[in-house]
């Protein structure tokens, strides 16, 4: 979770449930030489670090001890090859003819884009009546992990610089070299992955499949039944599934490996595995990093979400269509609100934090006991704590002396000003986001035609300025510039009224005019952006320097941990393929017990309890076909597997590598697992495999697809 | 909630949900002259005191303001007369032919006792096929409130004594005189009720109906579906209803007033009223009293429940039939555990306690500002706080220097010792529990033949002694006596092995032998009881003196409050008839929304989620007849009405005084309302009227009863 919103915040919210992979986590930051990589004899598994295991270090002994299960390499290879990664989700091959199963919320763009002009498959659902009716999803691809190679020593040997900046450049270069070399040799998609914050580097090689077609998607109402209220909760009743098919040369692709369908699906108490790509966790973070998130960063994030939600509520009051128009944004912020509140709940949990503190105390004592380790790593924790403390002193400046978190017009103006000045520098001297091909992406984004809602802009800019005024000291340079001519409300109204930045042609003309045009512009929003730009650069540079210290020292700690524990502890999530063990199990909830599974009875029950009103409405086809269904069929279920955003669409498999379910969420208690993994009440939430086939047969008349899954 | 368990704890647990009325609350403690009873101009309703209004002071203006509803006296009289009270529950007349509706858990004794020898209606359910088949419930009665008279001045004028003891005797005497005089004049059942801890005394006159017959009771499995786990929770799926009929002269009684049945039942957002007899609340308690419960009393109670549950778990491990044999006790302790944990949750809630503190601060400031009030009442809070502090210093002694909370054999032995010594004193000098006719009840109880499980006795006595040892200082006189000859385990084993107290003939012979026989006995348990008796008397007397100070000062505060607020605030619950307003409304729960109602779909859903295993099993008749039911029929629902133990069986009525539901529980959040009333998440849980008639018609083939309810 970044401490700042992206500069270009125009409608780039993450609206999916677990799809919010933070793929930035997969590229590492400035590495440092590690201590000896041999694991010590004491290295044993610690449950609070979770169970997101990599495929090159499966914990066979731990599985044998815990479940009396020790899969062989063939089992592991099969499962790895049957698993695929979508751009922001997980998926799997589930038939011999290339069927790919993922979540509905991972395939929304495909479902929308393949809809005919007069209807929307998100509303109506879609089931191809024949293979010829399957619809190509433009731009969608899946990656299949072919192999993993430990490249730690190659990365390390390339990093010889003395300063963090030199090291960062060398690291980027060796990553690039390794990736390019790999792609040229293998024609695969290659990526260097930073594990253990730099304790280990691995080269992941993927085969990419570019032709995916839509086979079946249920109605959005049943895929996301319960909407925002039920999001991140359980008991749950969501058919959050979409079936795609991989084609090659215009024919269904026959994968070398795929997952068979379990006849019974997940059973209470059964050991099962989630195979997918968790996006980002913070379990190796230090206590100081966690406290910063808990006390500084997350509270400010939450206030920001509330600020936006208040704006949408105000718009909806004035104009009843606004709630509908902004439903994606509203859902996005509600989703973030729930997620970040959940992350923070874990950090506020005294038992979880005590566990973390105790681990840190023990681990630091171990480092301190060895003179060599102490010299290399002993200072890392205090260095991070000092940097976090300093960051906390100017967090309001970092948040509010800028352009983001409110008006899109101001953000666009700021972007025009910065593109102009950065473009005039040599590539190597530019801010990272403006180097090389990235510059063209920024230029394209800034001139793209986007609708501007001036009512929203006025409210958002005023709210942004009000927040700045309440968080910053009165003599702050940003406030002096931004509020020189009035109140937040009057300034916002005048700027939105007076600017032409909303016009994409105007933006293009400024962009083409370069630094001179921008400097000469008397558009009031551009004028303001020019004044803010140096203030923002100063504070951002100050934060960047401190974050570099944190990153460098976090790497040291990661290296020390890897040196001490090796792969006995799984690395933090990196949106790469992991396998997590767990058990199907209910949990204590609301004074009683949440059952391990729900059924179709429950879907109709929850809908009836809300008088069939949205977001609890049953789609018409489901109302009509209710009596066909065996209502006691398992629908959703929970298990103790470890998962997080990015795992959406992961298959759940049994010991026979058969599909027993499809992960799509965690319960509200599970959201708190981001930093410390627990299984007392935290659960993964999945669609049951039997619910999928029952719906295919009885609701969607898709017997042929169900037969294909079941291998009939 | 008393700070001690009753002396005779043999299977006297409260096993019902809301039926656990603490009827002791209805007889007041030593009254004091009150300040002027005129209410001040500033007296306004404060929501944290709840909405349990008496029928002689209905808050018409508040209702008009809040709901635009101002019932006339006729409405109030009708509702009052249609309501009746069971010995520990509430009920109502719901047909012109004397049908009475209450909860299944209020009528368990009747349902069991009317069962034929070869089956049990608790298991099978019962529905009379014709009026001639209705089964008389031996010993059951209902009381109908005829009138209320304010007798405050008559009570006050009779209390002239100087000491609390004199005052207590005078109060008991005037209560008795008023009650006897009333009964003789009216032939009604009369009771003086202490309201506002002594701020007001009211004479309640009841007509008693002694002939009640069982008309219909569902299977226990559907009445108490979800069992202990779902107890005190919502969403819920319980047909917790029983229909009885009042007979007079062997004919169905035609009540002068009864509640009509609403065609639609409770609707979302509707204003509704619960009419019934809440048992006990502590909303007028001082902060010091609440803190004592939170920090001293409740934690010790909870430890005691856990001690018993551990014993039953140990017995069940040794003997698989034990769990079944002790299921009532286990359920009783689980129930108490949930309830007391809930009460304590309210006291641990910083927002609720802040509200309480703020009220107390304001109110004390008001008293302090008036010299006359300050002189009379100003010292009451500090006096209570001091007494509570002193009680806290010897709470372990009060709990463990005695006989209760463990072995039934020890309790019986102690009772034999105490009956012998108390019997030999003049009546007026005995402990209260041994005066007048009470002595005969104690004598009868002590000689009654009760089964003794020696395995339980050994474990319970050992646990009791272990707890005493861990809570009391090493030189404690009780420990010196009780553990003189060994460890808790060896002492318990020897005592249980050596005693004959388990034999009722032995107990009778000792009882008949009087003090001499008890003194001469060398039965080891009697010997121990004789040694403990004086220790226990000392500590109990010390506590009684402090509790008398608390009671006297609590009365002063009650009087001051009544003087200041009059009936603008409802009095604490006293197991007398109240009417509470509220609204049908869901609530935020578990990260999402709990719906305002559940349906029959939900019953089958929850059962299927647990694979139809107890306590989530659907009775066979309900499984067979599922397809007959309209599964979307409302089943249970929640509302913001104020209720507590004793309210079980209360009707919920709409503005037209029609039945829309039947109260049977509160949600887990509502349990915390005992001391501070809130409606953000606390809810009353009720059976929906439409669920009742749907089940009568479709499951129980009881169309004639359903027609009678619906007035067809």
């Amino acid at each position: 979770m970044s401490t700042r919103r992206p500069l270009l915040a125009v409608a780039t919210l993450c609206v999916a449930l677990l799809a919010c992979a933070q793929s930035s986590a997969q590229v590492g930051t400035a590495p440092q030489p590690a201590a000896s990589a041999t694991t010590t004899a004491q290295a044993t598994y610690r449950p609070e670090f979770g169970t997101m295991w990599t495929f090159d270090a499966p914990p066979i002994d731990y599985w044998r001890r815990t479940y009396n299960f020790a899969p062989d390499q063939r089992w592991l290879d099969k499962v790895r090859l049957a698993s695929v990664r979508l751009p922001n989700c997980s998926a799997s091959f589930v038939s011999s003819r290339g069927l790919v199963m993922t979540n509905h919320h991972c395939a929304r763009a495909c479902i929308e884009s393949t809809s005919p002009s007069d209807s929307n498959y998100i509303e109506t659902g879609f089931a191809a009546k024949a293979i010829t009716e399957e619809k190509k999803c433009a731009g969608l691809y899946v990656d299949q992990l072919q192999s993993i190679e430990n490249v730690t020593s190659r990365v390390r040997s390339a990093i010889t610089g003395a300063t963090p900046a030199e090291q960062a450049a060398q690291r980027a270069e060796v990553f690039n070299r390794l990736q390019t070399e790999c792609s040229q040799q293998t024609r695969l998609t290659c990526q260097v992955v930073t594990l253990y914050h730099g304790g280990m580097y691995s080269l992941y090689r993927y085969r990419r499949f570019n032709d995916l077609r839509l086979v079946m998607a249920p109605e959005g109402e049943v895929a996301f039944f319960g909407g925002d209220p039920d999001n991140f909760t359980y008991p749950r009743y969501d058919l959050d599934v979409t079936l795609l098919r991989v084609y090659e040369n215009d024919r269904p692709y026959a994968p070398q490996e795929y997952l068979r369908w379990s006849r019974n699906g997940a059973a209470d108490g059964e050991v099962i595995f989630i195979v997918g790509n968790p996006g980002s966790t913070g379990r190796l973070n230090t206590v100081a990093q966690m406290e910063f998130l808990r006390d500084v960063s997350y509270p400010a994030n939450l206030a920001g979400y509330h600020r936006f939600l208040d704006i949408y509520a105000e718009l909806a009051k004035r104009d009843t269509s606004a709630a509908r128009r902004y439903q994606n944004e509203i859902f996005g912020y509600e989703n973030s609100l729930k997620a970040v509140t959940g992350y923070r709940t874990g950090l506020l949990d005294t038992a979880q934090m005590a566990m973390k503190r105790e681990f840190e105390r023990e681990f630091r004592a171990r480092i301190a006991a060895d003179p060599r380790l102490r010299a290399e790593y002993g200072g890392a924790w205090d260095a991070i704590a000092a940097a976090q403390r300093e960051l906390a002193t100017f967090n309001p400046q970092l948040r509010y002396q800028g352009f983001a978190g409110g008006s899109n017009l101001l953000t666009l103006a700021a972007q025009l000003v910065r593109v102009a000045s950065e473009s005039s520098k040599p590539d190597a001297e530019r801010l990272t986001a403006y180097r090389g091909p990235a510059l063209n992406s920024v230029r394209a984004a800034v001139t793209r035609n986007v609708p501007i809602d001036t009512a929203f802009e006025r409210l958002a800019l005023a709210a942004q300025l009000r927040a700045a005024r309440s968080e910053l000291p009165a003599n702050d340079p940003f406030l002096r510039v931004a509020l020189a001519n009035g109140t937040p409300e009057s300034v916002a109204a005048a700027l939105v009224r007076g600017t032409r930045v909303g016009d994409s042609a105007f933006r293009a003309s400024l962009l083409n005019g370069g630094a001179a045009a921008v400097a000469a512009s008397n558009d009031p929003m551009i004028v303001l952006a020019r004044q803010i730009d140096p203030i923002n650069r100063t504070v951002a540079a100050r934060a960047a320097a401190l974050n570099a210290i944190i990153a460098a020292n976090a790497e040291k700690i990661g290296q020390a941990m890897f040196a001490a524990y090796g792969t006995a502890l799984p690395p933090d999530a990196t949106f790469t393929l992991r396998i997590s063990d767990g058990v199907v199990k209910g949990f204590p909830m609301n004074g009683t017990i949440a059952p391990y599974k729900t059924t179709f009875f429950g879907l109709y029950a929850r809908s009836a309890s809300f008088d069939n009103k949205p977001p609890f409405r049953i789609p018409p086809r489901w109302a009509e076909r209710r009596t066909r269904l065996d209502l006691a069929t398992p629908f959703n279920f929970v298990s103790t597997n470890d998962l997080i955003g990015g795992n959406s669409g992961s298959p759940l498999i049994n010991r026979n590598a058969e599909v027993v379910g499809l992960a799509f969420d965690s319960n509200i208690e599970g959201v708190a697992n981001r930093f410390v993994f627990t299984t007392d009440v935290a659960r993964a939430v999945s669609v049951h495999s039997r619910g999928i086939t029952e719906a295919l047969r009885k609701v969607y008349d898709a017997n042929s697809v169900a037969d294909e899954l079941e291998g009939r």
Side-chain angles (χ1 to χ4, degrees), chain A residues 51-123:
Chain A
T51 58
M52 293 172 173
W53 309 101
T54 58
F55 271 79
D56 55 349
I60 304 290
D61 285 344
Y62 155 71
W63 286 343
R64 187 186 289 114
R65 276 198 317 277
T66 314
Y67 310 117
N68 191 27
F69 177 64
D72 58 16
Q73 194 56 44
R74 226 182 120 256
W75 190 97
L76 290 163
D77 290 344
K78 174 196 169 79
V79 167
R80 172 175 52 77
L81 290 169
S83 303
V84 289
R85 188 174 72 176
L86 285 161
N88 61 352
C89 277
S90 300
S92 59
F93 281 119
V94 287
S95 89
S96 61
R97 294 200 293 156
L99 269 186
V100 164
M101 175 177 77
T102 189
N103 289 146
H104 186 272
H105 75 264
C106 296
R108 283 184 69 96
C110 159
I111 299 166
E112 277 180 343
S113 67
T114 54
S115 301
S117 58
D118 59 345
S119 80
N120 186 344
Y121 292 151
I122 295 284
E123 280 171 33

Side-chain angles (χ1 to χ4, degrees), chain A residues 7 54 104 124 144 146 190 318 361 459 521 558 587 673 699:
Chain A
L7 193 62
T54 58
H104 186 272
T124 62
Q144 181 193 43
Q146 301 295 310
C190 300
R318 300 181 186 178
R361 199 193 56 72
L459 289 173
S521 173
F587 58 95
N673 268 359
V699 181

Side-chain angles (χ1 to χ4, degrees), chain A residues 432-509:
Chain A
T432 317
Y434 300 83
R435 282 186 206 156
L439 182 63
N440 280 337
S441 308
V442 176
R443 294 176 67 95
V446 105
T447 49
R448 195 174 296 131
N449 193 4
V450 286
I452 296 290
D453 173 347
T454 52
F456 169 85
E457 292 297 325
R458 264 194 309 274
L459 289 173
L461 186 53
Q464 184 176 5
L465 294 173
R466 267 197 310 275
R469 194 178 54 181
S470 85
E471 296 292 328
L472 296 172
N475 65 349
D476 181 86
F478 173 87
L479 291 183
R480 277 207 308 273
V481 167
L483 295 178
N485 303 316
T487 64
E489 294 73 22
S490 69
V491 165
L495 284 170
V496 172
R497 199 184 320 110
T499 186
R500 290 174 60 206
V501 164
D503 174 3
S504 60
F506 175 76
R507 296 199 297 275
S509 73

